[in-house]
Amino acid sequence: NQLFGSSEKMFYSAMEIKSDNKEIYYYLARTHEENRNYSIAISYYNKYYGFSGETDILVHIGYLYGVQGKFSSAYDYYKRASEIDPENPSPYFFTGLTRLWEAKYNEARESIKLAIAKKNTEETYYFYLAVADEKLGDVDGAIESLKAALKNNPSSGRAYNYLGYIYAEKNINIEEALKLVK
């Protein structure tokens, strides 16, 4: 219900009662993240990771560093996660996403392709691959990536919209572009 202040107080009270409950740290991190107190959120996610050992938490911490523009720290966490669980596609995808934020499109594309090689059924991976492709001027690649995104999630409004706008901007498949955007 977006009552993060009240939730935070309750989690701190719960921590006083039982400080070894990993879930308390996770939800404290979430409340601080929602309030954009990223440094505190990262601290609690690290505590949660100490209890859980979940590599996706390392990836999420990296993402939070990336959101703040602290790219070096973000990459450190992604690397750590990929070293622990090399078959997990998330660190590779989020490395690519962070590279997009830095406008390092070739590196973004390569990282996202690594994620797709690990798991090729994620619409999101293909969507952001299309972003990298388009930024690099590879319109055909972007179109193919968006078609793959739609194959994996036929209800992806963002992929339909993006593909429609690419068609419209390139003045190709105009009737289809209109249908896609609608």
Side-chain angles (χ1 to χ4, degrees), residues 114-157:
L114 286 172
I116 290 170
K118 307 268 180 211
K119 185 174 183 185
N120 67 359
T121 59
E122 289 293 323
E123 175 267 346
T124 297
Y125 297 177
Y126 287 102
F127 180 85
Y128 283 101
L129 179 59
V131 171
D133 288 337
E134 185 186 25
K135 294 288 187 182
L136 290 166
D138 182 2
V139 174
D140 291 337
I143 290 169
E144 290 307 310
S145 295
L146 288 167
K147 287 179 178 179
L150 289 166
K151 178 182 173 196
N152 286 294
N153 181 2
S155 63
S156 174

Side-chain angles (χ1 to χ4, degrees), residues 54-71:
E54 296 173 25
T55 55
D56 282 337
I57 292 299
L58 295 175
V59 174
H60 192 72
I61 292 168
Y63 168 79
L64 292 178
Y65 275 119
V67 166
Q68 298 176 85
K70 298 176 180 178
F71 301 124

